[in-house]
């Protein structure tokens, strides 16, 4: 939830999270439903145990802020930046239910479509970005907690600006 002191970068990330959480299909707009959206988490507990994002609820999208580089600095006024936001979509594809006859590629393509439609419906991400573009997409497979998962990584390239001396403005 936004607070008055959030940076423009944080507001952009919050908007991406809210936007992706609203993917709820099948509808005229979306093929699929995203059941969980989380920001990237990697924590060490006082016991020394490392915790990360939960893979209990699927489909899951994990949002991770990546590179954030200045494009143009004008000290005292504005700095324009280019940030990559990496989205990791995790799903489990089994041979039961409505998806039994579909290939994993078909299902991932439907999710990719939905993510792109949701994000590009407001390429300014709540008025905080100058522009957003969908970058490279990479399929993957992994095993989390003994469960085989497939997914895609989607990079969003976000151009934004903020006050050089106050990133919340």
């Amino acid at each position: 939830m936004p607070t008055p002191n959030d940076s423009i970068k944080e507001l952009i990330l919050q908007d991406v999270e809210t936007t992706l959480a609203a993917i709820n299909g099948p509808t005229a707009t979306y093929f699929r439903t995203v059941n969980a959206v989380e920001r990237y988490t990697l924590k060490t507990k006082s016991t020394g145990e490392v915790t990360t994002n939960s893979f209990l609820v699927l489909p899951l999208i994990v949002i991770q802020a990546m590179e954030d580089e200045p494009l143009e600095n004008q000290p005292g006024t504005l700095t324009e930046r280019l940030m990559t936001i990496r989205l990791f979509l995790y799903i489990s594809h089994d041979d039961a239910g409505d998806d039994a006859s579909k290939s994993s590629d078909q299902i991932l393509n439907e999710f990719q479509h939905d993510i792109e439609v949701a994000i590009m419906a407001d390429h300014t991400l709540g008025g905080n970005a100058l522009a957003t573009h969908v970058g490279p997409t990479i399929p993957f497979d992994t095993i989390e907690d003994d469960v085989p998962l497939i997914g895609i990584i989607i990079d969003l390239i976000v151009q934004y600006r903020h006050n050089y001396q106050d990133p919340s403005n």
Side-chain angles (χ1 to χ4, degrees):
M1 174 161 229
T3 65
N5 296 324
D6 284 338
S7 67
I8 299 298
K9 177 179 179 175
E10 179 58 28
L11 292 172
I12 288 169
L13 290 163
Q14 290 174 12
D15 187 80
V16 168
E17 184 176 10
T18 301
T19 298
L20 295 175
I23 297 174
N24 191 4
T27 64
T29 306
Y30 301 122
F31 292 106
R32 298 283 171 176
T33 295
V34 173
N35 290 326
V37 178
E38 300 175 4
R39 297 281 293 276
Y40 174 74
T41 301
L42 182 64
K43 297 179 184 177
T44 304
K45 294 182 177 182
S46 58
T47 61
E49 179 186 0
V50 175
T51 62
T52 184
N53 293 89
S54 167
F55 293 90
L56 298 176
V57 179
L58 298 173
L60 164 68
I61 297 176
V62 175
I63 301 167
Q64 184 177 16
M66 301 299 283
E67 299 86 10
D68 186 7
E69 56 187 298
L71 292 177
E72 185 178 321
N73 285 327
Q74 300 167 349
T77 57
L78 298 176
T79 180
E80 196 164 303
R81 305 189 65 85
L82 199 60
M83 172 176 52
T84 300
I85 300 173
R86 186 154 290 160
L87 308 176
F88 297 85
L89 168 73
Y90 296 89
I91 68 169
S92 177
H93 183 200
D94 57 40
D95 62 358
D98 296 340
D99 292 332
S101 65
K102 290 190 176 185
S103 71
S104 297
D105 278 346
Q106 285 176 293
I107 295 167
L108 291 174
N109 287 340
E110 289 175 356
F111 273 108
Q112 181 177 344
H113 165 273
D114 292 350
I115 291 167
E116 290 181 17
V117 165
I119 292 295
M120 298 314 290
D122 176 13
H123 71 94
T124 68
L125 303 174
N128 297 299
L130 300 172
T132 303
H133 304 281
V134 178
T137 301
I138 304 164
F140 68 90
D141 55 74
T142 187
I143 296 177
E144 294 291 336
D145 298 326
D146 296 323
V147 176
L149 302 175
I150 58 172
I152 49 176
I153 300 168
I154 300 174
D155 282 352
L156 303 178
I157 313 302
V158 180
Q159 184 178 356
Y160 72 103
R161 72 169 64 116
H162 63 75
N163 184 298
Y164 189 73
Q165 297 173 340
D166 180 6
S168 65
N169 219 337

